[in-house]
Amino acid sequence: MDVKRWVWWSGVVVGIALLAVGCESLLGVGGAGLAIAMSVIAGGIVTHWRQRDTISCRINGPRLRPLQVSAFGLMGLGVVCYQLHGGGAIATLSAQWPIVGASWVPLVLVAAGVGWLGFLSIGSDCRDEQLLAAMGERER
């Protein structure tokens, strides 16, 4: 395997871990979960932009694409916010931005992630490609 690639990805993992530890220290309980969820969301979007794909899956078998991963990250962020509601990192962030502590924020985040997946399912060829691959066909 390419050593340069392994070093780069190791640096990314260490950077995210340091970010998570820093957020946990700064924001309190749950800060690391928020940082990791935000990293997943951003990572999927940045990877999509780097590949410069249209909203397309282009797969030969079922696998997640970067924008799908970001949608799952958004849902994960909603779950973390729900678990921390009223305490930990959410309480710290609510002092600065009161809307973060609102009881409806976790629901909106999860619903937005589900809606994003729905949009990708309808607005792209993900389902068609996966169905064709499952049937053993590569192209129509």
Side-chain angles (χ1 to χ4, degrees):
M1 290 234 123
D2 186 15
V3 174
K4 194 177 196 181
R5 186 179 209 184
W6 278 98
V7 170
W8 189 85
W9 279 111
S10 297
V12 168
V13 170
V14 168
I16 291 171
L18 290 174
L19 175 69
V21 168
C23 285
E24 187 78 16
S25 304
L26 232 116
L27 300 175
V29 176
L34 292 174
I36 290 171
M38 295 295 284
S39 297
V40 169
I41 295 167
I45 293 170
V46 168
T47 302
H48 175 75
W49 283 340
R50 284 185 62 212
Q51 293 174 349
R52 290 185 174 81
D53 284 343
T54 59
I55 298 180
S56 172
C57 283
R58 296 186 200 162
I59 56 176
N60 293 329
R63 75 175 198 208
L64 291 174
R65 300 302 295 163
L67 289 179
Q68 291 171 316
V69 171
S70 290
F72 283 117
L74 190 59
M75 288 185 272
L77 182 62
V79 170
V80 169
C81 287
Y82 177 75
Q83 288 179 328
L84 298 173
H85 185 70
I90 297 298
T92 305
L93 290 173
S94 294
Q96 190 72 7
W97 299 292
I99 197 165
V100 173
S103 61
W104 50 266
V105 168
L107 175 63
V108 168
L109 290 171
V110 171
V114 171
W116 191 343
L117 281 177
F119 171 75
L120 289 174
S121 177
I122 294 168
S124 72
D125 62 355
C126 295
R127 284 188 346 190
D128 296 337
E129 290 292 328
Q130 288 177 351
L131 178 62
L132 290 173
M135 293 173 23
E137 299 179 26
R138 295 291 177 204
E139 295 181 23
R140 292 183 185 202

